[in-house]
Amino acid sequence: MTKKNVQLILTKYTKHLGNAGDIIYVSKGYARNYLIPQRFAEVLTKNKINYLNKIKAKQAIVQERQKQFNLDVQNQLQTINKFSLKRKTSDQKNIFGSITDKDIIDIISQTTGINLKKSQINMPSIRTIGTYEIPITLIEDINVNIKLQVLPETM
């Protein structure tokens, strides 16, 4: 009786199978007719296993450095804790326009030199004067909350 499953290494993310670098077991026909010709996977060899282990080790080092950097950013933002913005307001203390992610990114960049992405900021709707809590997700397990104080602009 012949072997029914083949061991492959994925080269790209494939729905229902896994991410690049994952080792999978699939039937010979699925591997030979679809995964290998479409370059979603390659046959697993000893050299590819060694190469994969080296890449995973390098990725672990990079992730550790990035986590340490984000912890430093978190500490910097927590020590500052409060940022202030001035905006033109109406008599009812409503802001003309609104405060956006870009405004938050600019004020943090000006005061600390830290550059954030729009996707890291979970922005509430800010249309009046007051103090607001802004949650920032640096990476999936490192979060920080900053306070944003919106003040009326004096002419």
Side-chain angles (χ1 to χ4, degrees), residues 42-60:
E42 295 176 350
V43 178
L44 191 63
T45 61
K46 289 181 184 179
N47 289 336
K48 287 183 184 172
I49 291 173
N50 292 337
Y51 178 70
L52 180 65
N53 290 335
K54 287 179 184 178
I55 288 177
K56 284 187 179 182
K58 286 181 182 179
Q59 286 176 344

Side-chain angles (χ1 to χ4, degrees), residues 67-121:
K67 185 173 183 175
Q68 188 60 41
F69 173 76
N70 284 317
L71 286 172
D72 293 342
V73 169
Q74 180 186 28
N75 289 336
Q76 285 180 339
L77 291 176
Q78 284 176 342
T79 55
I80 294 173
N81 194 25
K82 187 187 244 184
F83 295 93
S84 296
L85 281 174
K86 292 187 177 184
R87 290 286 189 249
K88 290 184 180 179
T89 59
S90 66
D91 295 336
Q92 292 83 22
K93 298 185 179 179
N94 289 331
I95 299 171
F96 291 123
S98 65
I99 296 183
T100 62
D101 302 353
K102 188 172 180 351
D103 297 325
I104 304 294
I105 292 170
D106 289 342
I107 193 82
I108 291 173
S109 178
Q110 289 172 359
T111 55
T112 63
I114 298 169
N115 294 322
L116 297 175
K117 298 175 190 162
K118 284 177 73 173
S119 61
Q120 293 176 313
I121 298 174

Side-chain angles (χ1 to χ4, degrees), residues 3-70:
K3 204 177 0 174
K4 292 186 179 183
N5 286 336
V6 172
Q7 203 174 18
L8 298 175
I9 183 168
L10 292 175
T11 57
K12 300 177 189 175
Y13 169 76
T14 308
K15 192 175 183 179
H16 304 297
L17 291 178
N19 294 319
D22 289 348
I23 298 172
I24 59 169
Y25 291 93
V26 293
S27 68
K28 282 184 178 182
Y30 187 48
R32 186 177 56 238
N33 295 324
Y34 180 70
L35 292 176
I36 294 173
Q38 297 293 325
R39 301 201 187 275
F40 287 123
E42 295 176 350
V43 178
L44 191 63
T45 61
K46 289 181 184 179
N47 289 336
K48 287 183 184 172
I49 291 173
N50 292 337
Y51 178 70
L52 180 65
N53 290 335
K54 287 179 184 178
I55 288 177
K56 284 187 179 182
K58 286 181 182 179
Q59 286 176 344
I61 292 170
V62 169
Q63 285 177 344
E64 187 60 37
R65 285 183 187 159
Q66 190 161 9
K67 185 173 183 175
Q68 188 60 41
F69 173 76
N70 284 317

